[in-house]
Structure formats: structure tokens, C-alpha cells
Amino acid sequence: WPPSKPAWTIQTGAGGSGVIVTGDRLYTMGWKDDQDHILCIDTASGTTIWKQSYSCPPYGRESEGDKGIYSGPSSCPSYDQQTGYLYTLSTDGDLCCWDTKAEGRTVWKVNFYDAYQVPKRPKVGRRQLRDYGYTTAPLVHGDVVIVEVGDDEGNLMGFSKKTGTRLWVSQSKDPAGHTGGLVPIIVEGVPCVAVLTIRNLLVARLDSGQEGKTVAEFPWVTDFANNVATPAVLKNSIIISSEYNQYATTRIDVTLSGMKQVWKQPYASGVCPPVIYNGHVYWCWRGVYCLNFETGSPVWRGGVFGDTASCIVTSDGRLVIWGRRGDLVLAETADRSPQKYTELSRQKDLMENDAWPHIVLSGGQLYCKDRDGNMKCFRLKP
């Protein structure tokens, strides 16, 4: 560190969709020329192995507001190791299953607006209506792919991962939120899923015969429906964070009997999902924050960043932060620097636009993307 010039660069199309890596293949999404594009890329060379496309508007058909700062797909693809199927969700509600072993052949697809007539999100909070279309990544769980649909039939729906047949709907009928993902959680031995809907932190069961049944809800409404940061889970604890009228981060503990708020602190993440590591909670929102996981008390804060950022923790206890318009930063965790934020390295302005998509580290390579779809791969080892 710092990484030298990129090992390769590629243009994937506009959008906030992140990347996923499995083995020597990278998958991501982007929008260009009135189409969504699904790409399979060789991680060694950056060569596109296959690409699939379908017609899609740049915004969901019920979208409302802030079109100057987003367009194209926002959700991240999900991969199933057992079948080799890839699942993607467009901002216009196209849930698609692709066979990665057959050059991305379409296995099945469903559009939520067409199939369920999903209404526009309601106005929540104290400010104008916002609807950013579908943003939440699908979650593969056993033989089911689970998606936050936000319909009046159910907030969550479970589909057969092989055929696309709908298998169940959730007890909760909340409209969909705007976070990045559904988060698995085990509650007293029962497999569950946590999600920030437009109104609540929802935990629902996934065990056989109880799929979609609500375990508990914790009210969490944000102005503009901007509950963007994905919840973070450790055992039966959930960390959620939002700016705007909430401007808070809180820890919620879950049992099959309900939820309990353990602590709440007046520090917020607008976009970056919190990361729980060795008794601390980290995120980047204008600066890097570190809180004590048990008590919520602040440990330190530092650095200068913009509104867009994501961070990960490496296995040797360092933070890698991707923010602003392509600032790539290496910093110490509280394990190595318990008294203050310590920045080891910063490379600035590596991109032309905001660093919306989440940074990914896999196989000693960093994948950095901006919302225009410019992606750079940095090799961190010989």
C-alpha cells in the first residue's frame, strides 16, 4: 500500500450497483442506452466474459425526486454457489435469474410492478415524497431467493431460486425501504432476516412453515425515506443508522419475544453500512466514526470525506475507505489506534463522479467503482 496504477479499468454503465466476486469471476450491473447490462468479468484481466441486457428505464416507473444524483440499478447482484445462478434486481422491479454456467442465459424473470401493481411509496417523515425504485439486493437462503417487494400483499416475498415461483409473502405489509440489502440473523436458533422497511426495522422468520412471520418490529421512519445504510448484524444484535430527522445510530437486540433498544447515539451514517469488528462499530459519513459496540460510547472520529462512502475491515485490522469522488484511504482500526483516528494513506480523486457503489476486496484485489460505472481494479499483492 498504496496500490500502484490500476491492474485494469472497465466501464460498466451508470448506477450505484456494487460488485460481487466468486472465484475468478466478478459480476455487476450498469445502465446505458435504455438498457440494464449484467456483466461477468474475468478478475485477472478485466475482460468481459459475457454480457446480458434488457430494456429498462433509468429510474423506476414510480420514481419521485433526486434524479440528478442517481440513475440506473442501485441493488447489488447475488450469487448462488449451488446452482451457479445469479440474481439481479433493476430499479424498475425486474427480478432476473441468470445461468452463469451458460453465458448468462435467462432462467426466469418477474417484474414486480407488472405482477403485483406495487404502488408508489407513501410520503414519510416531514419532507417531500421520495421513491427511488428498487434498491435492495436479493438474498439467497436455501432454495429460496428473498426480495423486499414492498407490496400490499407483503413487504418480503420468497421465490423458488430455480423456477421463480412465488412461495410465500411476509406478514408485514410495509412499503419497501431504500437500503442496500436484506441481512440474515439467527434469533434463538431460528433463521430470520432483518430489513429496514420504509417504516420499521423488521425481523421476520425463515424457518419451514413460519416463513415471513414477523418476529418483531422497531419503528424507524426517515425523512425522504432515506434509510439508506444497510443494517449490520452480530449474533442477535442489529445496528441501524440514518441521517435526516433520525440523525442517530442505535443497537437493537432481538429475541423471539420482541426487540429491545440497548443504546442510541447522536451520530449518523447517511449511506455507508456500519461494520462491526472486534467490539467496535465503524462507518464513514463525512468523517470516519468508531463507537463501542457494547455501550455505544464514541471512541474517536476523524478524517474528511463527503456524503458518499463505504468501508471494509481487513483481516489484519485496518480500514479501507472509498469515498468522495474516488478517495481511497487506508486507516487504522481502534485495535491499532485506540485513542484517535489514524490515516495511513490517501489517494485522491481517482474517479470523475461519486463513489456510490460499495468497495470490494477479494483475492488481494480492490474493486473501486463510481456511479457513472467507471471501475478500477487495484492489485495489492505481487
Side-chain angles (χ1 to χ4, degrees):
W1 196 282
S4 57
K5 64 180 182 180
W8 50 262
T9 63
I10 193 171
Q11 178 28 255
T12 66
S17 181
V19 310
I20 59 170
V21 179
T22 174
D24 59 357
R25 297 290 183 265
L26 177 149
Y27 302 100
T28 193
M29 301 174 66
W31 182 89
K32 185 179 181 181
D33 298 330
D34 295 321
Q35 289 189 317
D36 272 358
H37 302 278
I38 317 301
L39 294 94
C40 172
I41 298 166
D42 179 80
T43 58
S45 64
T47 303
T48 299
I49 298 170
W50 56 257
K51 180 171 75 171
Q52 294 287 351
S53 305
Y54 57 88
S55 296
C56 189
Y59 311 100
R61 66 189 71 177
E62 297 291 348
S63 66
E64 186 78 33
D66 290 344
K67 288 185 171 62
I69 59 173
Y70 81 99
S71 62
S74 294
S75 71
C76 185
S78 297
Y79 179 80
D80 179 47
Q81 190 74 36
Q82 182 188 55
T83 59
Y85 289 171
L86 185 77
Y87 303 91
T88 61
L89 181 61
S90 78
T91 189
D92 194 47
D94 300 291
L95 176 63
C96 302
C97 174
W98 315 91
D99 187 353
T100 66
K101 299 177 182 178
E103 297 187 335
R105 175 184 63 88
T106 303
V107 181
W108 56 263
K109 65 190 302 185
V110 60
N111 181 278
F112 296 148
Y113 290 119
D114 293 341
Y116 308 117
Q117 292 75 55
V118 181
K120 185 189 291 286
R121 287 174 173 84
K123 179 181 176 182
V124 294
R126 302 168 297 179
R127 304 185 188 180
Q128 296 110 316
L129 174 67
R130 288 292 185 272
D131 189 319
Y132 303 116
Y134 285 96
T135 66
T136 305
L139 173 68
V140 179
H141 177 80
D143 292 329
V144 182
V145 57
I146 307 165
V147 186
E148 189 188 21
V149 179
D151 187 49
D152 52 15
E153 291 186 61
N155 172 268
L156 300 173
M157 295 187 184
F159 300 85
S160 166
K161 70 180 184 182
K162 294 182 179 179
T163 68
T165 302
R166 193 175 76 173
L167 302 176
W168 55 262
V169 298
S170 66
Q171 182 180 358
S172 168
K173 296 175 172 56
D174 281 357
H178 282 125
T179 60
L182 309 172
V183 187
I185 181 172
I186 304 296
V187 181
E188 297 181 39
V190 175
C192 299
V193 62
V195 63
L196 271 176
T197 75
I198 203 172
R199 302 191 192 282
N200 297 286
L201 170 63
L202 166 69
V203 174
R205 297 178 68 136
L206 297 180
D207 50 321
S208 179
Q210 302 289 327
E211 296 95 336
K213 181 179 178 181
T214 297
V215 172
E217 292 176 316
F218 182 81
W220 194 263
V221 175
T222 307
D223 288 348
F224 299 122
N226 276 358
N227 50 352
V228 181
T230 302
V233 165
L234 177 64
K235 297 182 180 179
N236 70 320
S237 298
I238 306 173
I239 303 291
I240 55 176
S241 185
S242 297
E243 203 212 6
Y244 300 98
N245 57 305
Q246 290 289 351
Y247 208 92
T249 298
T250 185
R251 173 182 160 190
I252 309 294
D253 282 6
V254 188
T255 69
L256 294 180
S257 302
M259 292 186 182
K260 178 182 72 173
Q261 188 176 53
V262 179
W263 51 258
K264 184 177 182 180
Q265 291 286 0
Y267 312 104
S269 175
V271 175
C272 179
V275 177
I276 305 169
Y277 178 76
N278 277 3
H280 296 96
V281 181
Y282 302 91
W283 72 86
C284 183
W285 172 251
R286 298 172 183 165
V288 181
Y289 291 79
C290 175
L291 304 185
N292 182 286
F293 172 78
E294 293 296 333
T295 66
S297 58
V299 178
W300 45 248
R301 177 188 175 186
V304 177
F305 290 87
D307 289 351
T308 60
S310 58
C311 66
I312 51 179
V313 178
T314 66
S315 58
D316 59 346
R318 291 187 167 95
L319 285 163
V320 180
I321 305 150
W322 175 241
R324 296 168 65 96
R325 292 199 164 194
D327 283 14
L328 182 58
V329 173
L330 186 70
E332 300 283 28
T333 60
D335 291 15
R336 292 175 172 271
S337 181
Q339 302 299 322
K340 62 178 182 178
Y341 171 75
T342 302
E343 196 166 290
L344 301 174
S345 171
R346 179 183 289 246
Q347 291 166 275
K348 299 182 67 175
D349 301 324
L350 296 175
M351 295 297 187
E352 296 296 324
N353 213 326
D354 297 324
W356 279 117
H358 203 291
I359 192 171
V360 169
L361 170 63
S362 179
Q365 296 190 161
L366 270 176
Y367 302 95
C368 305
K369 194 173 177 224
D370 70 8
R371 68 180 176 92
D372 285 339
N374 301 301
M375 182 163 61
K376 297 182 179 184
C377 168
F378 294 96
R379 201 157 284 150
L380 302 183
K381 62 180 183 179

